[in-house]
Amino acid sequence: MPQSSETPLIKVKSKEAGAASLSAFGRARSTVSGSPLSPDELVNTHAFWRACNYLALGMIYLKANPLLREPLRPEHIKERLLGHWGTSPGLAFIYTHLNRLIRRDDLDMIFMAGPGHGAPGVLGPTYLEGSYSEIYPDKSEDEEGLHRFFKQFSFPGGIGSHCTPETPGSIHEGGELGYVLSHACGAAFDNPDLIVTAVVGDGESETGPLATSWHINKFLNPVRDGAVLPILHLNGYKINNPTLWARVSHEELESFLRGTGWTPYFVEGSDPDTMHQAMAATLDKCVADIRAAQQEARSSGKVFRPRWPMIVLRTPKGWTCPSEVDGHKLEGSWRAHQVPLADVKKNPERLAHLENWMRSYKPEDLFDAAGTIRAELKALAPTGLRRMGSNPHANGGNLKKGLRMPDFQEYGIEVERPGTTEAENCRPLGVFLRDVMKANMHNFRVFGPDETTSNKLQAIYETSQKLWLEETFPEDADGGELAPDGRVVEMLSEHTLEGMLEGYLLTGRHGFFSTYEAFAHVIDSMFNQHAKWLTICNQLPWRGQVASLNLLITSTVWRQDHNGFTHQDPGFLDVVLNKSAAVTRIYLPPDVNSLLSVANHCLKSEGYVNVIVSDKQMHLQYMSMDAAVTHCTKGIGIWPQASTDEGQEPDVVVASAGDIPTKEALAAVDLLRQEFSDLKIRFVNVVDLFKLQPDTEHPHGLSDKDFDSLFSVDKPVIFAFHGYPWLIHRLTYRRTNHGNLHVRGYKEKGNINTPLELAIQNQIDRFTLAMDVINRVPRLQATGAHAKEKFRNLQIACVNYAHEYGVDLPEARDWKWPY
């Protein structure tokens, strides 16, 4: 029969056949064959895994009777049942098998759990290996300690259901999904012996950041870096919906993973004995592949990109829980995602189901009379620092070595007279970072989604080029700055690079990240999560302080006149302001020398997120290096060269924060001084934004007396601010003189404008600021009408000139500080 033109060229399997091939049940189906476990190893491995699953259930349900040494009663059950069972057996299964490899081959390995609420599957193994009790002695390895261990989970005053900072061996919480592979890659950088096993949840695999981070394999240099072993755990469901990767064909999934550069090995099924053997054989193969690639590269000295191994592990959701309850499928269903059996405290039948389920793990065979895991099972775990819960790389603050720093003052520029010369603020910073990198070639990296050259930091390439393991063309040699051993990491994914940097910092190293201001919002939530992580770490004495996360926010709103409205957004600062004052810092240096001073301080700091806002274009320079160091040390101060009130009470305070706002505020002062020679003006510049907040709210905040001394208690304050104006009001609303504070900033006005026209549209220009002063100073309100008219006419002339010639009026564009 001839083929119809409408017949599909590719025949798709029937739904019935497709569903059968994707089942998570049955004997193991695996790419790698073999049965490496001896009969005794198989029995003990399964027993250790049973113990992990028993502990996971106990954490979710029990507040008493931890070993079921008496019949289970309602008073043994927690009042609120919180936690996630569904992914936990799979995580514990992986952890159990990794222990065997670590112990056998003396591997240096850490474990990252990508599934969001999978902590029970990680906490259990860390308790059994002894890491947990060493850090928390009250959670001892006996019945009383187990009781406390169970009760604290998802309990007020206890610990959360993610792999939070309180979890030994964790540097990845997984509260927000999508970052496990990028964190793992950062951890592997410059750690040649480390293997980072990163479990990707199949729900997590649907996120944008995770989809992009499959490309981390293009950045792992087999000579100098460790390896990442991804394990995509397909248990089929999210809260009550199937996951995409669990429902596509084997061929489609394998093609995707091979297409992104991995060598996938599949392990699928639910039968414990065959799954243990399949997983053991597959992990043996993966580690052998990793070591073979590294050995080839390291012995030859030739860097290439291996097609690194990974595993696709398909198991039932809630593996080993009851197959059904009340006629509804449980194991292998979305109903196993969180707490599979609800109402156990009030429903005797459900309580009996739970008791039968927990006893099916035979705790009496797993724990001795004291409530300690039996010695033959404890022996399956590694010892000392080889335990994944005790691996030093997972507490990187204790491994961190301070950077060797050149003298930043040697990179500054000469400023003979304030506000008379121009320079690109970021270019000297690039020279400084070049030499920071040169002195720290094993523990410092630079990351930038928007390209280091674009952000004027390209001097770094004189020390180290861009990391590139892909094909190269001859023309790349002409300025491409590509090298397989490069320490500058560029990829047009803010998510992936931010995750790499966080993983690098959390394992004890240092880094610097630059990005366009408007698109720093891409990593809003990643910054949030890291700040929260640092906040909790500050409360844990056993956690060492890691190096600060340093973010350079550049290509800023006031010089996005060419890219237009889409590139004009200074709102990342508002996000930063929401986080804990203990870990957040914001700096707005107005010129080269202050930027260098701030960057030096930030690179030396630890335990913070430092946000530095500095544009990359040409800007007026205001301070000598000595003056900049003094000003940045204070964080806020009066600029006497721009003030006319010394020894007197000011008529008005003009303040600024940011490069263009400072220029426009100074130009406004110039206009006012020309018109009102007797006007007493105080000029205040802010570098450390949190100086504006009270010292009771932020450790950098000014006392009320110091704030009042600078800004007065009753005089008008005209504040030119880099970002959205209401942020300044948030910081200062409790100050004495807040009612007289008038802030000008970005107001969502703009498109393809000249720089001054953009400022005029947002009413932060020199003319608006000068007219503001006239409107706010009582004695000028009656006498300043002619000056206001003059300023308004100049403002109109500048707009008209820009619209006719496409550039700013030369005398406005080329304005210099004349005093």
Side-chain angles (χ1 to χ4, degrees):
M1 182 176 181
Q3 186 180 34
S4 165
S5 61
E6 296 181 1
T7 301
L9 294 178
I10 300 174
K11 188 175 182 180
V12 180
K13 291 181 180 178
S14 70
K15 287 187 176 181
E16 292 77 11
S21 71
L22 301 179
S23 172
F25 289 94
R27 291 177 60 84
R29 311 181 300 277
S30 61
T31 310
V32 178
S33 60
S35 300
L37 300 178
S38 70
D40 285 345
E41 284 180 311
L42 179 58
V43 169
N44 287 335
T45 297
H46 186 59
F48 190 93
W49 181 49
R50 284 182 8 236
C52 292
N53 292 338
Y54 180 82
L55 295 185
L57 265 187
M59 281 181 261
I60 293 172
Y61 284 99
L62 299 185
K63 66 176 183 179
N65 191 15
L67 290 170
L68 298 185
R69 288 179 169 166
E70 56 181 296
L72 191 61
R73 297 194 299 272
E75 57 265 31
H76 300 151
I77 305 297
K78 293 178 180 179
E79 277 68 19
R80 293 198 307 163
L81 299 180
L82 302 171
H84 290 64
W85 164 255
T87 190
S88 295
L91 290 170
F93 180 79
I94 296 166
Y95 202 111
T96 298
H97 280 273
L98 294 176
N99 277 345
R100 166 183 165 267
L101 283 176
I102 295 168
R103 196 181 69 256
R104 186 192 71 187
D105 298 340
D106 192 31
L107 296 181
D108 192 4
M109 180 178 283
I110 61 174
F111 183 86
M112 291 190 189
H117 291 270
V122 179
L123 290 166
T126 63
Y127 178 82
L128 294 176
E129 72 186 14
S131 297
Y132 204 93
S133 299
E134 286 181 13
I135 293 175
Y136 305 106
D138 63 318
K139 313 302 186 299
S140 49
E141 297 179 76
D142 53 30
E143 186 170 5
E144 183 58 32
L146 188 58
H147 166 245
R148 295 192 185 99
F149 180 71
F150 282 176
K151 183 178 179 181
Q152 69 168 352
F153 179 77
S154 282
F155 200 84
I159 60 174
S161 62
H162 310 140
C163 291
T164 63
E166 293 94 338
T167 304
S170 174
I171 62 168
H172 173 84
E173 179 161 348
E176 182 182 0
L177 303 177
Y179 310 128
V180 67
L181 289 182
S182 57
H183 280 163
C185 181
F189 281 153
D190 298 315
N191 268 330
D193 297 325
L194 184 66
I195 297 177
V196 186
T197 300
V199 183
V200 179
D202 50 352
E204 178 184 27
S205 70
E206 298 176 5
T207 65
L210 195 286
T212 306
S213 65
W214 287 116
H215 290 299
I216 63 166
N217 51 24
K218 283 82 172 174
F219 295 93
L220 289 168
N221 180 321
V223 172
R224 69 177 180 190
D225 297 330
V228 174
L229 176 60
I231 300 180
L232 175 58
H233 184 204
L234 301 182
N235 60 35
Y237 294 91
K238 295 166 288 194
I239 293 175
N240 71 339
N241 205 51
T243 59
L244 295 175
W245 279 135
R247 296 296 179 91
V248 304
S249 70
H250 178 103
E251 294 78 12
E252 187 175 344
L253 177 56
E254 183 175 12
S255 295
F256 173 85
L257 296 170
R258 288 190 181 277
T260 52
W262 300 92
T263 300
Y265 297 112
F266 286 75
V267 178
E268 304 171 290
S270 62
D271 172 65
D273 284 356
T274 56
M275 285 295 285
H276 283 306
Q277 295 286 14
M279 190 65 175
T282 302
L283 283 170
D284 285 351
K285 173 63 173 169
C286 289
V287 171
D289 287 355
I290 289 169
R291 291 308 189 217
Q294 291 173 334
Q295 175 62 26
E296 179 183 349
R298 293 170 189 179
S299 61
S300 68
K302 295 180 180 178
V303 179
F304 63 95
R305 178 169 71 85
R307 295 187 66 90
W308 298 103
M310 65 158 296
I311 297 172
V312 179
L313 175 65
R314 190 190 303 270
T315 65
K317 188 81 169 182
W319 194 9
T320 73
C321 74
S323 59
E324 66 173 52
V325 171
D326 297 337
H328 295 291
K329 185 175 176 62
L330 194 57
E331 184 188 30
S333 160
W334 58 265
R335 289 185 172 86
H337 179 76
Q338 291 176 296
V339 180
L341 296 176
D343 299 325
V344 293
K345 200 171 182 70
K346 298 179 180 178
N347 185 325
E349 185 177 352
R350 288 287 179 88
L351 184 65
H353 276 308
L354 175 62
E355 182 169 10
N356 290 336
W357 177 12
M358 296 192 74
R359 291 192 184 279
S360 73
Y361 297 118
K362 301 180 179 179
E364 65 278 6
D365 294 343
L366 305 174
F367 299 89
D368 64 18
T372 303
I373 188 73
R374 293 190 179 276
E376 64 271 23
L377 301 184
K378 179 69 172 284
L380 297 181
T383 59
L385 298 181
R386 282 299 190 241
R387 294 171 297 178
M388 289 188 286
S390 299
N391 191 295
H393 295 290
N395 192 3
N398 290 341
L399 294 179
K400 182 183 85 273
K401 296 179 180 178
L403 289 173
R404 296 172 58 204
M405 297 287 288
D407 183 357
F408 72 94
Q409 299 191 44
E410 295 179 2
Y411 300 83
I413 63 174
E414 293 293 327
V415 178
E416 294 184 4
R417 288 182 54 230
T420 58
T421 59
E422 289 189 332
E424 292 171 309
N425 285 350
C426 288
R427 195 176 294 274
L429 175 62
V431 181
F432 175 59
L433 292 174
R434 174 199 68 190
D435 291 350
V436 172
M437 182 172 285
K438 186 175 183 180
N440 302 276
M441 289 294 283
H442 301 288
N443 65 336
F444 180 73
R445 293 200 182 205
V446 170
F447 301 80
D450 296 299
E451 301 191 5
T452 305
T453 299
S454 174
N455 292 332
K456 307 299 175 74
L457 302 175
Q458 64 266 38
I460 297 171
Y461 298 142
E462 297 169 23
T463 290
S464 184
Q465 296 174 295
K466 289 178 275 192
L467 172 58
W468 190 258
L469 300 177
E470 303 305 302
E471 296 294 333
T472 57
F473 294 160
E475 55 266 30
D476 292 330
D478 184 16
E481 306 292 357
L482 306 178
D485 61 350
R487 303 190 63 76
V488 179
V489 187
E490 295 186 1
M491 176 185 179
L492 201 52
S493 168
E494 288 86 350
H495 286 125
T496 305
L497 292 187
E498 171 71 12
M500 288 176 177
L501 174 56
E502 290 176 2
Y504 198 59
L505 298 175
L506 290 167
T507 46
R509 281 74 65 75
H510 305 257
F512 194 86
F513 186 102
S514 66
T515 188
Y516 287 8
E517 180 176 58
F519 308 121
H521 280 300
V522 174
I523 57 167
D524 274 1
S525 57
M526 295 189 76
F527 151 77
N528 283 338
Q529 296 299 318
H530 190 73
K532 289 175 182 291
W533 179 276
L534 294 178
T535 299
I536 298 299
C537 285
N538 286 342
Q539 303 166 24
L540 302 173
W542 61 272
R543 282 277 183 188
Q545 283 273 27
V546 298
S548 295
L549 174 63
N550 298 309
L551 304 177
L552 173 65
I553 308 300
T554 188
S555 195
T556 57
V557 55
W558 302 111
R559 295 307 302 269
Q560 284 301 322
D561 41 88
H562 59 301
N563 280 326
F565 196 42
T566 58
H567 284 53
Q568 298 163 5
D569 189 333
F572 185 69
L573 300 185
D574 298 72
V575 177
V576 177
L577 188 61
N578 293 331
K579 296 299 109 183
S580 168
V583 299
T584 49
R585 305 290 185 265
I586 298 173
Y587 301 99
L588 294 102
D591 63 2
V592 166
N593 291 335
S594 58
L595 173 59
L596 288 167
S597 180
V598 164
N600 177 73
H601 168 77
C602 292
L603 286 170
K604 290 181 176 180
S605 70
E606 57 184 25
Y608 301 135
V609 179
N610 295 311
V611 178
I612 307 170
V613 182
S614 180
D615 188 60
K616 62 188 182 182
Q617 306 294 350
M618 298 289 287
H619 290 278
L620 286 175
Q621 302 300 304
Y622 305 109
M623 291 176 281
S624 67
M625 181 55 75
D626 287 344
V629 171
T630 299
H631 185 52
C632 291
T633 301
K634 294 185 297 182
I636 186 173
I638 297 171
W639 280 6
Q641 69 272 21
S643 302
T644 60
D645 71 321
E646 187 169 359
Q648 305 174 74
E649 191 175 27
D651 294 313
V652 64
V653 177
V654 177
S656 68
D659 36 40
I660 288 295
T662 295
K663 176 183 178 181
E664 291 304 308
L666 288 170
V669 169
D670 180 25
L671 290 173
L672 291 166
R673 287 175 68 164
Q674 291 178 42
E675 299 298 320
F676 309 104
S677 59
D678 62 338
L679 184 64
K680 295 186 287 296
I681 303 170
R682 176 178 299 168
F683 192 91
V684 175
N685 180 260
V686 181
V687 171
D688 182 346
L689 196 63
F690 283 112
K691 288 291 181 181
L692 299 175
Q693 205 164 21
D695 56 359
T696 55
E697 300 297 323
H698 195 284
H700 283 201
L702 290 177
S703 68
D704 286 337
K705 288 185 180 298
D706 286 341
F707 188 91
D708 292 347
S709 178
L710 283 174
F711 290 98
S712 82
V713 296
D714 58 359
K715 297 298 186 289
V717 179
I718 310 300
F719 200 125
F721 176 52
H722 173 84
Y724 291 105
W726 37 89
L727 185 146
I728 299 299
H729 289 291
R730 286 178 62 189
L731 290 168
T732 60
Y733 77 97
R734 288 170 51 187
R735 298 296 192 178
T736 304
N737 201 27
H738 180 254
N740 285 317
L741 178 62
H742 310 281
V743 186
R744 296 289 181 176
Y746 185 65
K747 298 173 68 175
E748 289 291 309
K749 305 288 185 182
N751 207 329
I752 305 300
N753 310 107
T754 63
L756 182 55
E757 184 200 9
L758 180 62
I760 290 171
Q761 285 202 15
N762 288 277
Q763 299 179 315
I764 195 175
D765 62 288
R766 62 199 67 179
F767 309 112
T768 298
L769 295 172
M771 288 187 282
D772 254 2
V773 171
I774 294 172
N775 290 336
R776 307 293 180 184
V777 175
R779 70 182 181 85
L780 297 184
Q781 291 172 6
T783 61
H786 290 282
K788 282 175 60 177
E789 196 73 7
K790 178 180 179 180
F791 298 159
R792 194 172 287 115
N793 291 341
L794 288 170
Q795 190 181 58
I796 292 169
C798 287
V799 172
N800 290 340
Y801 188 93
H803 286 185
E804 182 171 356
Y805 297 102
V807 294
D808 280 324
L809 191 69
E811 51 264 41
R813 179 188 65 216
D814 301 330
W815 175 87
K816 304 290 191 294
W817 179 247
Y819 302 98

